[in-house]
Amino acid sequence: MEEKQLVRLAQNGSPTAFEELVTKYQPKVFSMALSFTRNRDVADDLAQEIFLKAYLALPRFHGKSEFGTWLYRISMNHVKDYLRKKGRAKEVSLEDVPEVSFSDRERTEKAEQERETEARRTLVQRFVQSLPEKYRVILTLRDIQGLAYDEIARVLRLSPGTVDSRLHRARRMLRVKLAPYLTGEGGANELSQG
């Protein structure tokens, strides 16, 4: 069924239609909340609250934008409100990488690579979190959530040119922060291509 039909049915009180919309967008909403809070439980709670807000606001959705854009706007505002109330997101450690001892050398190397990858990911997330909000939001929506420039422009109510320039600045700021940690193995070169 087409998304516009699902939205219309949900607006007319169909719980099944709204469930389908939730099923479609839940992973993206959860992932976006997780990228800002870095806490799975909090992200899960926020996602539920966002869908409740969206359900209650459905009568006011008139289809002037895509449903996904409208939902992302609600999501961004809700997450921003949460972070403001909490006085910024606290540094939350990601799930611990299990310490497993393997006798097989290949498995040990693979586990070490996974730990290094996780350490890099944590470092990047920490530096992304340290960026000023307007750059952090753009970088998260584009490079982590994978939204297109025009979607980001609609969600944040910015011109595509502003989105492009802020994204460029955000990536440059992130590269500068990460450069000392990414020497050797072409790490800094990989970043400069983004």
Side-chain angles (χ1 to χ4, degrees), residues 76-120:
M76 284 300 307
N77 289 336
H78 192 71
V79 170
K80 278 183 183 179
D81 288 345
Y82 169 81
L83 292 175
R84 246 180 247 118
K85 286 176 188 168
K86 290 292 174 192
R88 295 263 165 227
K90 294 179 183 173
E91 285 290 323
V92 180
S93 63
L94 298 174
E95 294 173 27
D96 295 330
V97 177
E99 288 290 327
V100 183
S101 58
F102 295 103
S103 55
D104 181 24
R105 184 175 167 214
E106 188 178 302
R107 287 185 181 175
T108 305
E109 286 175 3
K110 185 177 180 191
E112 183 59 34
Q113 285 175 340
E114 287 173 3
R115 277 194 291 276
E116 285 176 18
T117 300
E118 186 63 27
R120 273 192 226 109

Side-chain angles (χ1 to χ4, degrees), residues 67-193:
F67 177 79
T69 302
W70 178 77
L71 182 62
Y72 273 114
R73 195 172 295 134
I74 290 172
S75 302
M76 284 300 307
N77 289 336
H78 192 71
V79 170
K80 278 183 183 179
D81 288 345
Y82 169 81
L83 292 175
R84 246 180 247 118
K85 286 176 188 168
K86 290 292 174 192
R88 295 263 165 227
K90 294 179 183 173
E91 285 290 323
V92 180
S93 63
L94 298 174
E95 294 173 27
D96 295 330
V97 177
E99 288 290 327
V100 183
S101 58
F102 295 103
S103 55
D104 181 24
R105 184 175 167 214
E106 188 178 302
R107 287 185 181 175
T108 305
E109 286 175 3
K110 185 177 180 191
E112 183 59 34
Q113 285 175 340
E114 287 173 3
R115 277 194 291 276
E116 285 176 18
T117 300
E118 186 63 27
R120 273 192 226 109
R121 185 178 299 126
T122 302
L123 182 68
V124 170
Q125 287 176 338
R126 186 163 32 112
F127 285 135
V128 167
Q129 291 298 319
S130 74
L131 293 175
E133 183 178 349
K134 67 182 181 180
Y135 299 117
R136 184 177 68 242
V137 168
I138 294 270
L139 195 69
T140 300
L141 291 176
R142 177 67 187 147
D143 292 346
I144 297 173
Q145 297 297 315
L147 266 64
Y149 283 75
D150 59 333
E151 286 180 286
I152 296 169
R154 285 194 303 266
V155 168
L156 299 178
R157 296 185 175 136
L158 297 171
S159 72
T162 302
V163 169
D164 188 44
S165 67
R166 282 189 189 173
L167 183 62
H168 179 74
R169 279 191 210 117
R171 286 175 176 163
R172 190 173 59 224
M173 291 163 77
L174 189 60
R175 269 195 301 274
V176 168
K177 288 175 181 275
L178 288 170
Y181 299 92
L182 298 176
T183 55
E185 298 180 30
N189 294 335
E190 290 170 19
L191 276 177
S192 64
Q193 294 170 7

Side-chain angles (χ1 to χ4, degrees), residues 8-23:
R8 236 177 278 119
L9 288 170
Q11 285 176 318
N12 291 329
S14 167
T16 310
F18 190 72
E19 276 178 41
E20 281 191 51
L21 291 168
V22 170
T23 301

